[in-house]
């Protein structure tokens, strides 16, 4: 029997670790979403950089429904065709020679950190276990990944944390040089800090990380959970930078809204995850892999990737115009369709107000912390939806500013 549910039910039946908006979306098509009351929103958030091809993309619906009629799940005691096809495509399209599938970004990073330590300890000895990470970084919500992440608000309050993690300032080459040593197992970096404020790394910083890892026999891990699968205008951001990691993690847009995560690495590193060292019941699920294969087929084309770059220019120029006209923002930054607008001093700490006002104006936007508005729309969002969405956003900004 179907039941009517409302936002009020959330507070009665759900664990209170989220504070969702007042409206409940029930349907989406492309970059438009409708709520229970039939109100329409333009989606400039894409989940949080997840719906890389918008909502209900025909190629993804087809892949999912066709696979749904075939086989949903097999254990890891068996392999399956969609997982093998997806892995072959990822290997063909990237530096990687081996792939591990899981269900989320956190799990992909958990696998990456465990593999990096296993490799380092196998090759370099028991003392080679340190992970060098950056302040304000975000790598997921498992205990190891919040510990490696550079935001104590997510890792404090749960008792003793895993040991051997150092945090240094992002984009600070001197700090990196001081932190990396013979004890370093891995350096982990988001090529663009997403949750931490949509802050791109400099090429010099990523190159320095690569060089130091080579010098000390450490592995370079790029967390591309948010930047991957076309988001920056290349299939992965490392390609934009011309700096290649040893391990790369991918999730979010990889499944276009269907849960999947992947850890990509080289054969030399992968062999340290021998039989039984790591695993996941659902990792490599045929439904997830079928959808992700369809995502890759659509995204990894010159037209879609070039489209991301031209939509970037359109988005940034309109955001800059809003910044100049309203005085709400001091800087617009980011790569491809992962964009941030930094709030002026007078409005610092108020991103949530802009998110709420935007929803009232019919546009879904994101925050990246309290001081930066974030946009991560579909990679194939029509230009007309960018224009209309940012018109609505400007209206919302003016409402918050009382203009
Ligand atoms: N890494 C980065 C860079 C992310 O942005 C996120 C999620 O926002 C994660 C890891 C965690 O991914 P998930 O929520 O799928 O576990």
């Amino acid at each position: 029997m179907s039941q009517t549910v409302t936002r009020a039910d959330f507070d009665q039946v759900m664990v209170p670790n989220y504070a969702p908006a007042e409206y409940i979306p029930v349907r989406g098509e492309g970059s438009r979403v409708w709520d229970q009351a039939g109100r329409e929103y333009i989606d400039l958030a894409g989940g949080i950089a997840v719906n890389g091809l918008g909502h209900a993309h025909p190629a993804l619906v087809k892949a999912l429904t066709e696979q749904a009629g075939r086989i949903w799940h097999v254990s890891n005691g068996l392999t399956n065709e969609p997982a093998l096809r997806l892995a072959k495509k990822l290997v063909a399209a990237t530096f990687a020679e081996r792939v591990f599938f899981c269900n989320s970004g956190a799990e992909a990073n958990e696998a990456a950190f465990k593999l990096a330590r296993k490799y380092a300890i196998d090759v370099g000895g028991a003392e080679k276990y340190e992970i060098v990470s950056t302040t304000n970084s975000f790598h997921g919500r498992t205990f190891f990944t919040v510990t490696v992440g550079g935001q104590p608000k997510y890792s404090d309050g749960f008792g003793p944390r895993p040991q051997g993690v150092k945090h240094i300032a992002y984009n600070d080459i001197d700090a990196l040089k001081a932190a990396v040593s013979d004890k370093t197992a891995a350096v982990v970096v988001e090529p663009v800090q997403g949750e931490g404020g949509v802050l791109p790394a400099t090429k010099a910083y990523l190159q320095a990380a690569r060089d130091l890892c080579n010098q000390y026999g450490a592995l370079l891990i790029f967390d591309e959970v948010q930047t991957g699968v076309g988001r920056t205008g290349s299939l992965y951001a490392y390609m934009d930078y011309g700096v290649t990691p040893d391990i790369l993690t991918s999730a979010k847009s990889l499944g276009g809204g269907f849960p999947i995560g992947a850890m990509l690495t080289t054969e030399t590193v992968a062999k340290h995850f021998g039989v039984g060292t790591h695993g996941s019941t659902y990792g490599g699920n045929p439904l997830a892999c079928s959808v992700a294969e369809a995502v890759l087929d659509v995204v990894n084309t010159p037209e879609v990737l070039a489209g991301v770059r031209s939509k970037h220019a359109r988005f940034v120029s309109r955001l800059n115009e809003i910044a100049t006209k309203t005085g709400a923002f001091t800087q617009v930054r980011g790569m491809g369709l992962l964009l941030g607008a930094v709030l002026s001093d007078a409005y610092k700490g108020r991103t949530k107000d802009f998110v709420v006002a935007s929803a009232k104006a019919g546009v879904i936007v994101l925050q990246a912390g309290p001081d930066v508005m974030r946009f991560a729309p579909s990679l194939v969002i029509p230009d007309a939806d960018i224009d209309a969405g940012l018109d609505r956003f400007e209206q919302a900004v003016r409402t918050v500013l009382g203009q």
Side-chain angles (χ1 to χ4, degrees):
M1 265 290 231
S2 80
Q3 247 183 12
T4 304
V5 288
T6 68
R7 169 64 180 80
D9 289 318
F10 182 92
D11 301 325
Q12 301 306 316
V13 296
M14 304 285 273
V15 170
N17 60 319
Y18 301 118
E22 290 304 317
Y23 62 98
I24 299 183
V26 292
R27 188 167 72 81
E29 194 183 320
S31 284
R32 306 253 167 170
V33 166
W34 289 266
D35 71 11
Q36 286 179 311
R39 248 188 116 237
E40 177 232 72
Y41 303 79
I42 296 175
D43 185 1
L44 300 183
I48 301 185
V50 169
N51 301 103
L53 291 173
H55 299 270
H57 189 288
L60 276 52
V61 172
K62 181 167 180 280
L64 180 61
T65 48
E66 280 185 6
Q67 187 60 39
R70 287 201 192 110
I71 193 161
W72 287 25
H73 174 78
V74 292
S75 81
N76 288 309
L78 307 168
T79 188
N80 70 78
E81 290 182 350
L84 293 172
R85 283 200 308 264
L86 177 61
K88 283 180 83 165
K89 286 187 175 171
L90 285 168
V91 163
T94 67
F95 76 96
E97 296 157 334
R98 296 290 185 272
V99 181
F100 168 78
F101 289 123
C102 49
N103 312 287
S104 67
E107 280 176 72
N109 284 325
E110 183 82 20
F113 303 153
K114 283 179 69 182
L115 174 60
R117 279 199 169 175
K118 183 79 173 57
Y119 171 89
I121 289 166
D122 286 351
V123 172
E127 293 305 309
K128 195 170 176 65
Y129 59 80
E130 276 185 4
I131 294 178
V132 176
S133 176
T134 55
T135 50
N136 284 328
S137 61
F138 186 80
H139 299 297
R141 297 295 199 123
T142 65
F143 206 18
F144 198 2
T145 56
V146 286
T147 302
V148 174
Q151 306 196 45
K153 67 178 181 214
Y154 297 136
S155 56
D156 283 358
F158 301 101
R161 288 187 286 261
Q163 297 298 293
V165 181
K166 279 185 181 170
H167 293 100
I168 55 163
Y170 190 70
N171 271 339
D172 184 336
I173 295 176
D174 290 335
L176 194 58
K177 282 184 182 155
V180 178
S181 72
D182 285 331
K183 288 186 69 179
T184 308
V187 174
V188 56
V189 192
E190 291 166 83
V192 179
Q193 272 195 343
E195 304 293 309
V198 193
L199 188 60
T202 61
K203 180 172 163 59
Y205 180 68
L206 296 186
Q207 189 60 55
R210 177 69 277 170
D211 294 344
L212 285 162
C213 284
N214 292 349
Q215 186 182 341
Y216 288 99
L219 298 179
L220 181 60
I221 303 173
F222 281 176
D223 177 344
E224 293 230 29
V225 168
Q226 197 155 154
T227 54
V229 196
R231 179 70 38 206
T232 61
S234 291
L235 184 62
Y236 285 99
Y238 84 87
M239 298 167 176
D240 291 303
Y241 282 97
V243 177
T244 304
D246 302 293
I247 300 178
L248 179 151
T249 54
S250 187
K252 289 192 180 277
S253 290
L254 181 59
F258 201 95
I260 182 168
M263 178 190 67
L264 279 54
T265 189
T266 60
E267 199 253 330
T268 316
V269 175
K271 68 181 185 222
H272 292 265
F273 254 5
V275 174
T277 45
H278 193 63
S280 157
T281 292
Y282 289 116
N285 172 274
L287 294 167
C289 291
S290 293
V291 177
E293 187 190 0
V295 169
L296 266 195
D297 287 345
V298 176
V299 170
N300 197 21
T301 55
E303 310 82 71
V304 169
L305 296 174
V308 172
R309 294 191 285 270
S310 70
K311 288 172 199 302
H312 166 95
R314 187 178 197 95
F315 216 109
V316 167
S317 102
R318 181 73 179 99
L319 273 180
N320 275 321
E321 194 181 289
I322 297 172
T324 310
K325 277 160 69 181
T326 65
F329 309 108
T330 54
Q331 191 193 10
V332 174
R333 65 192 184 198
M335 289 172 73
L337 287 173
L338 179 57
L339 295 165
V342 183
L343 291 184
S344 306
D345 283 349
Y347 309 108
K348 283 248 153 47
R350 294 191 58 192
T351 44
K352 181 83 191 250
D353 295 344
F354 289 87
V355 171
V356 172
S358 294
K360 288 200 176 120
V363 59
I364 308 175
V365 300
L366 297 164
Q367 40 189 150
D371 303 330
V372 182
M373 296 305 300
R374 176 173 31 164
F375 306 87
S378 157
L379 307 180
V380 293
I381 183 172
D383 288 348
D385 284 359
I386 297 180
D387 298 345
L390 289 177
D391 284 350
R392 293 181 191 184
F393 179 64
E394 179 175 348
Q395 236 181 70
V397 169
R398 291 189 182 282
T399 305
V400 175
L401 271 52
Q403 289 179 354

